[in-house]
Amino acid sequence: MTPEIVRRGIDLWAEHIRDRQDYKNYSVIFYGGEPLLNINTLKYALNYIEELKGIKLPAFLNLMLDTNGSLINNELAVFFRKHNVKVTVGCDGLEEINDFYRVDNKGKGTFKRTKEAIDLLVENGVETFASVSITPENILKLDDVIEFFQKSGIKKIGFNILRGRLLLSVHPEINLEEYYNKAAEAIIRSFQNREDKNYEYQMQKRADFFYGRQSLPVDCGGYGNQLVIQPDGGISNCPFLSRIFGNVNQLEKDFRIWNVPTVRKWRERLPLYNPECRNCSAKRICGGGCPWSVLQTEGDLLKIDRATCILNKKVFKFFTQSEN
């Protein structure tokens, strides 16, 4: 991605924001691939955003970066702290757990480099988070995973049930339904066992909406709440789907991501509109799940996301029983 494409992408986002001034919580997320492979463009983007704050962009923005941590050094950690960038590092827990799947192109485990990156970020005062995939290797050890990250100075983590065909590619024999059930039960059990109920994002998000007597609007920004700019300037609603709806280099002035027909189609799967969800008691804490994952596993993005559905039903039952 070039600085010019970044500039045009941010300008387009600013136009979207101008049309949605009632919304207050905006975020810029740098991801890939690995965003730290393109440092010059990343630095340009952060400096340009700083220029526009309070003018075309809100004065306060959440700036976040997703990385595997392998390229983090002290200079970058200081730079992130200066620009108030929150960093999420992909790590699945202790060394023997993380290195079962997370290996480099030579087949060597990545834990030591990742842990060094986490330590550098924390030492430099960067708000640091962890993205944790639930795998067959850590599914019964989530309490240990939580303890490891808390001791490492990680501010918050997010448990991720593996999506799409990824799990099948590494475990072809696995029963997805069984995995989804075990992962959901492990997430709930971990929530029960820890004192800080807000430390893990998936449960904290659902608890906030359940106990706040509100409905979770969407699980994913792809329903029209995010603008994805690809390295070549292509515009999408989802970083994983190949559908491109235009390019920042040549675009109609009135383009808005929420008006794209494909994005409007996505909304048909939301519990509020989906006939299959009409009688589901858990729909209050369900934001529709991940269409990309469903497209990969079911061949139809309007199908129910079984991973999210199973998790929400079990979580809702748990919350309801806890209230009684």
Side-chain angles (χ1 to χ4, degrees):
M1 182 179 284
T2 65
E4 182 59 31
I5 285 177
V6 161
R7 186 183 189 93
R8 291 180 179 179
I10 292 170
D11 287 342
L12 177 62
W13 184 54
E15 292 172 13
H16 278 67
I17 289 176
R18 186 187 60 202
D19 291 356
R20 289 286 175 93
Q21 294 182 6
D22 56 327
Y23 190 68
K24 303 300 180 186
N25 188 20
Y26 291 99
S27 299
V28 182
I29 306 176
F30 300 97
Y31 49 75
E34 174 53 59
L36 298 185
L37 288 170
N38 195 353
I39 292 295
N40 290 337
T41 296
L42 173 63
K43 289 183 175 180
Y44 178 88
L46 289 169
N47 288 326
Y48 186 52
I49 288 169
E50 198 65 37
E51 285 179 29
L52 297 186
K53 280 185 179 180
I55 304 172
K56 290 185 176 181
L57 294 177
F60 176 79
L61 294 170
N62 284 305
L63 301 175
M64 305 193 71
L65 181 137
D66 292 348
T67 176
N68 62 23
S70 62
L71 298 176
I72 294 287
N73 55 35
N74 196 70
E75 179 187 352
L76 274 176
V78 171
F79 178 77
F80 292 146
R81 179 68 185 91
K82 177 184 175 183
H83 287 273
N84 294 314
V85 177
K86 301 173 183 178
V87 178
T88 298
V89 180
C91 181
D92 297 339
L94 300 166
E95 185 170 4
E96 64 272 16
I97 294 172
N98 181 84
D99 287 356
F100 195 92
Y101 293 104
R102 293 186 187 264
V103 296
D104 61 20
N105 56 8
K106 296 180 181 178
K108 294 183 178 179
T110 59
F111 175 82
K112 289 181 180 177
R113 278 183 293 171
T114 303
K115 182 62 167 64
E116 288 172 3
I118 290 172
D119 291 343
L120 271 176
L121 292 166
V122 172
E123 287 167 9
N124 280 281
V126 178
E127 284 194 49
T128 309
F129 305 82
S131 176
V132 184
S133 296
I134 296 183
T135 69
E137 278 60 51
N138 68 9
I139 202 166
L140 298 178
K141 303 174 183 177
L142 297 191
D143 288 346
D144 295 337
V145 171
I146 290 277
E147 183 180 5
F148 163 71
F149 285 119
Q150 287 178 327
K151 288 181 177 178
S152 299
I154 292 290
K155 184 172 182 179
K156 180 177 279 192
I157 72 167
F159 284 136
N160 302 308
I161 297 175
L162 292 176
R163 303 288 186 166
R165 300 193 191 101
L166 179 60
L167 188 59
L168 292 175
S169 68
V170 292
H171 278 284
E173 76 290 349
I174 200 164
N175 182 307
L176 284 180
E177 198 84 359
E178 182 179 341
Y179 164 72
Y180 296 151
N181 275 284
K182 286 184 177 180
E185 290 161 5
I187 290 172
I188 294 169
R189 189 164 55 247
S190 172
F191 179 80
Q192 283 180 288
N193 292 344
R194 65 179 178 270
E195 292 183 12
D196 184 355
K197 301 299 186 185
N198 292 326
Y199 192 68
E200 194 278 317
Y201 174 71
Q202 295 293 348
M203 287 298 291
Q204 178 248 317
K205 174 177 69 173
R206 288 166 171 81
D208 285 349
F209 282 96
F210 179 86
Y211 292 111
R213 299 294 191 267
Q214 296 177 329
S215 294
L216 177 64
V218 292
D219 278 320
C220 163
Y223 291 102
N225 296 348
Q226 72 180 3
L227 189 67
V228 177
I229 309 298
Q230 302 286 356
D232 63 356
I235 300 168
S236 180
N237 64 322
C238 171
F240 306 114
L241 286 174
S242 58
R243 295 294 301 275
I244 301 299
F245 309 125
N247 193 289
V248 295
N249 294 311
Q250 188 176 11
L251 200 65
E252 296 293 330
K253 272 199 164 186
D254 61 351
F255 174 87
R256 297 294 181 268
I257 193 68
W258 51 74
N259 289 330
V260 172
T262 299
V263 177
R264 297 171 73 91
K265 185 74 174 175
W266 275 37
R267 295 179 204 147
E268 293 179 18
R269 58 174 291 109
L270 292 172
L272 182 64
Y273 310 115
N274 192 336
E276 288 190 62
C277 304
R278 184 172 295 123
N279 298 320
C280 179
S281 58
K283 64 184 177 183
R284 181 149 61 89
I285 60 168
C286 179
C290 176
W292 167 77
S293 178
V294 174
L295 186 61
Q296 282 221 324
T297 56
E298 305 286 342
D300 181 354
L301 63 80
L302 292 181
K303 292 281 189 179
I304 293 291
D305 179 354
R306 292 296 301 154
T308 299
C309 184
I310 288 170
L311 175 62
N312 286 333
K313 286 180 176 178
K314 287 183 180 292
V315 170
F316 187 81
K317 182 179 180 181
F318 168 72
F319 286 157
T320 303
Q321 290 176 339
S322 299
E323 275 202 327
N324 296 332

